[in-house]
Short mmCIF file of all heavy atoms in Angstrom, two decimals:
data_model
loop_
_atom_site.label_atom_id
_atom_site.label_comp_id
_atom_site.label_asym_id
_atom_site.label_seq_id
_atom_site.Cartn_x
_atom_site.Cartn_y
_atom_site.Cartn_z
N LYS B 1312 52.94 -27.93 -69.43
CA LYS B 1312 52.27 -27.59 -70.69
C LYS B 1312 52.80 -26.27 -71.26
O LYS B 1312 52.95 -25.29 -70.54
CB LYS B 1312 50.76 -27.45 -70.45
CG LYS B 1312 50.13 -28.67 -69.78
CD LYS B 1312 49.51 -29.63 -70.77
CE LYS B 1312 49.40 -31.04 -70.22
NZ LYS B 1312 48.17 -31.30 -69.45
N THR B 1314 52.10 -22.96 -73.10
CA THR B 1314 50.93 -22.12 -73.33
C THR B 1314 51.36 -20.77 -73.89
O THR B 1314 52.52 -20.38 -73.76
CB THR B 1314 50.16 -21.86 -72.01
OG1 THR B 1314 51.02 -21.17 -71.10
CG2 THR B 1314 49.67 -23.15 -71.38
N GLN B 1316 50.50 -18.01 -72.65
CA GLN B 1316 50.86 -17.18 -71.50
C GLN B 1316 52.36 -17.31 -71.19
O GLN B 1316 53.06 -16.31 -71.05
CB GLN B 1316 50.02 -17.56 -70.28
CG GLN B 1316 48.58 -17.10 -70.32
CD GLN B 1316 47.64 -18.03 -71.08
OE1 GLN B 1316 48.08 -18.95 -71.78
NE2 GLN B 1316 46.34 -17.80 -70.95
N ALA B 1349 46.07 -12.61 -66.75
CA ALA B 1349 45.76 -12.33 -65.34
C ALA B 1349 47.04 -12.19 -64.53
O ALA B 1349 47.99 -12.96 -64.71
CB ALA B 1349 44.90 -13.45 -64.77
N THR B 1352 48.32 -15.25 -62.91
CA THR B 1352 49.04 -16.14 -63.81
C THR B 1352 50.50 -15.71 -63.94
O THR B 1352 51.41 -16.54 -63.93
CB THR B 1352 48.36 -16.14 -65.19
OG1 THR B 1352 47.01 -16.54 -65.03
CG2 THR B 1352 49.05 -17.09 -66.15
N LYS B 1355 52.34 -16.74 -60.82
CA LYS B 1355 52.62 -18.18 -60.84
C LYS B 1355 53.73 -18.50 -61.84
O LYS B 1355 54.60 -19.33 -61.56
CB LYS B 1355 51.35 -18.96 -61.19
CG LYS B 1355 50.35 -19.03 -60.04
CD LYS B 1355 49.00 -19.58 -60.53
CE LYS B 1355 47.95 -19.57 -59.43
NZ LYS B 1355 46.58 -19.71 -59.95
P DA D 1173 46.29 -38.52 -64.99
OP1 DA D 1173 47.33 -38.84 -65.95
OP2 DA D 1173 45.49 -39.55 -64.28
"O5'" DA D 1173 46.98 -37.62 -63.86
"C5'" DA D 1173 46.78 -36.25 -63.91
"C4'" DA D 1173 47.87 -35.55 -64.71
"O4'" DA D 1173 47.32 -35.10 -65.97
"C3'" DA D 1173 48.38 -34.32 -63.99
"O3'" DA D 1173 49.73 -34.09 -64.30
"C2'" DA D 1173 47.49 -33.22 -64.53
"C1'" DA D 1173 47.13 -33.69 -65.93
N9 DA D 1173 45.72 -33.39 -66.20
C8 DA D 1173 44.61 -33.88 -65.55
N7 DA D 1173 43.48 -33.41 -66.01
C5 DA D 1173 43.87 -32.56 -67.02
C6 DA D 1173 43.13 -31.76 -67.91
N6 DA D 1173 41.81 -31.69 -67.89
N1 DA D 1173 43.82 -31.02 -68.80
C2 DA D 1173 45.16 -31.09 -68.82
N3 DA D 1173 45.96 -31.83 -68.05
C4 DA D 1173 45.24 -32.54 -67.17
P DG D 1174 50.56 -33.24 -63.27
OP1 DG D 1174 51.96 -33.70 -63.33
OP2 DG D 1174 49.78 -33.27 -62.02
"O5'" DG D 1174 50.48 -31.77 -63.87
"C5'" DG D 1174 51.25 -31.46 -65.01
"C4'" DG D 1174 50.62 -30.30 -65.75
"O4'" DG D 1174 49.20 -30.53 -65.93
"C3'" DG D 1174 50.75 -28.98 -64.98
"O3'" DG D 1174 51.29 -28.05 -65.89
"C2'" DG D 1174 49.33 -28.63 -64.59
"C1'" DG D 1174 48.52 -29.31 -65.69
N9 DG D 1174 47.14 -29.63 -65.29
C8 DG D 1174 46.73 -30.47 -64.28
N7 DG D 1174 45.43 -30.54 -64.17
C5 DG D 1174 44.96 -29.70 -65.16
C6 DG D 1174 43.62 -29.37 -65.53
O6 DG D 1174 42.56 -29.77 -65.03
N1 DG D 1174 43.59 -28.47 -66.60
C2 DG D 1174 44.70 -27.95 -67.22
N2 DG D 1174 44.48 -27.10 -68.23
N3 DG D 1174 45.94 -28.26 -66.90
C4 DG D 1174 46.00 -29.13 -65.86
P DG D 1175 51.33 -26.53 -65.56
OP1 DG D 1175 52.45 -25.94 -66.30
OP2 DG D 1175 51.21 -26.39 -64.10
"O5'" DG D 1175 49.97 -26.03 -66.19
"C5'" DG D 1175 49.87 -25.90 -67.61
"C4'" DG D 1175 48.93 -24.77 -67.95
"O4'" DG D 1175 47.59 -25.14 -67.54
"C3'" DG D 1175 49.24 -23.45 -67.26
"O3'" DG D 1175 49.08 -22.42 -68.23
"C2'" DG D 1175 48.24 -23.36 -66.12
"C1'" DG D 1175 47.06 -24.17 -66.65
N9 DG D 1175 46.31 -24.92 -65.65
C8 DG D 1175 46.79 -25.78 -64.70
N7 DG D 1175 45.85 -26.34 -63.97
C5 DG D 1175 44.67 -25.80 -64.49
C6 DG D 1175 43.31 -26.02 -64.11
O6 DG D 1175 42.88 -26.75 -63.22
N1 DG D 1175 42.43 -25.29 -64.89
C2 DG D 1175 42.80 -24.44 -65.90
N2 DG D 1175 41.83 -23.81 -66.54
N3 DG D 1175 44.06 -24.22 -66.28
C4 DG D 1175 44.93 -24.93 -65.52
P DT D 1176 49.23 -20.95 -67.95
OP1 DT D 1176 49.73 -20.29 -69.16
OP2 DT D 1176 49.95 -20.82 -66.67
"O5'" DT D 1176 47.73 -20.51 -67.70
"C5'" DT D 1176 46.80 -20.58 -68.79
"C4'" DT D 1176 45.48 -20.00 -68.36
"O4'" DT D 1176 44.90 -20.88 -67.36
"C3'" DT D 1176 45.56 -18.61 -67.74
"O3'" DT D 1176 44.69 -17.75 -68.46
"C2'" DT D 1176 45.11 -18.81 -66.29
"C1'" DT D 1176 44.30 -20.10 -66.35
N1 DT D 1176 44.28 -20.96 -65.13
C2 DT D 1176 43.08 -21.35 -64.61
O2 DT D 1176 42.00 -21.01 -65.08
N3 DT D 1176 43.16 -22.16 -63.51
C4 DT D 1176 44.32 -22.61 -62.89
O4 DT D 1176 44.26 -23.36 -61.91
C5 DT D 1176 45.56 -22.17 -63.49
C7 DT D 1176 46.86 -22.59 -62.89
C6 DT D 1176 45.48 -21.37 -64.56
P DG D 1177 44.74 -16.17 -68.25
OP1 DG D 1177 44.33 -15.52 -69.51
OP2 DG D 1177 46.02 -15.81 -67.63
"O5'" DG D 1177 43.58 -15.96 -67.18
"C5'" DG D 1177 42.25 -16.30 -67.52
"C4'" DG D 1177 41.36 -16.15 -66.30
"O4'" DG D 1177 41.68 -17.19 -65.34
"C3'" DG D 1177 41.54 -14.83 -65.54
"O3'" DG D 1177 40.26 -14.42 -65.05
"C2'" DG D 1177 42.42 -15.22 -64.37
"C1'" DG D 1177 41.88 -16.60 -64.07
N9 DG D 1177 42.74 -17.48 -63.30
C8 DG D 1177 44.12 -17.54 -63.30
N7 DG D 1177 44.60 -18.45 -62.51
C5 DG D 1177 43.47 -19.04 -61.94
C6 DG D 1177 43.36 -20.09 -61.01
O6 DG D 1177 44.25 -20.74 -60.47
N1 DG D 1177 42.02 -20.39 -60.70
C2 DG D 1177 40.94 -19.73 -61.25
N2 DG D 1177 39.73 -20.13 -60.84
N3 DG D 1177 41.03 -18.75 -62.13
C4 DG D 1177 42.32 -18.45 -62.43
P DC D 1178 39.83 -12.89 -65.23
OP1 DC D 1178 39.04 -12.78 -66.46
OP2 DC D 1178 41.04 -12.05 -65.03
"O5'" DC D 1178 38.89 -12.68 -63.96
"C5'" DC D 1178 37.64 -13.36 -63.90
"C4'" DC D 1178 37.45 -13.97 -62.52
"O4'" DC D 1178 38.54 -14.86 -62.21
"C3'" DC D 1178 37.44 -12.98 -61.36
"O3'" DC D 1178 36.08 -12.71 -60.99
"C2'" DC D 1178 38.20 -13.68 -60.23
"C1'" DC D 1178 38.52 -15.05 -60.81
N1 DC D 1178 39.85 -15.56 -60.39
C2 DC D 1178 39.91 -16.66 -59.53
O2 DC D 1178 38.86 -17.20 -59.14
N3 DC D 1178 41.12 -17.14 -59.16
C4 DC D 1178 42.24 -16.54 -59.61
N4 DC D 1178 43.41 -17.05 -59.21
C5 DC D 1178 42.19 -15.42 -60.48
C6 DC D 1178 40.99 -14.96 -60.84
#
Side-chain angles (χ1 to χ4, degrees):
Chain B
K1312 306 264 156 87
T1314 61
Q1316 286 84 348
T1352 303
K1355 285 169 184 163

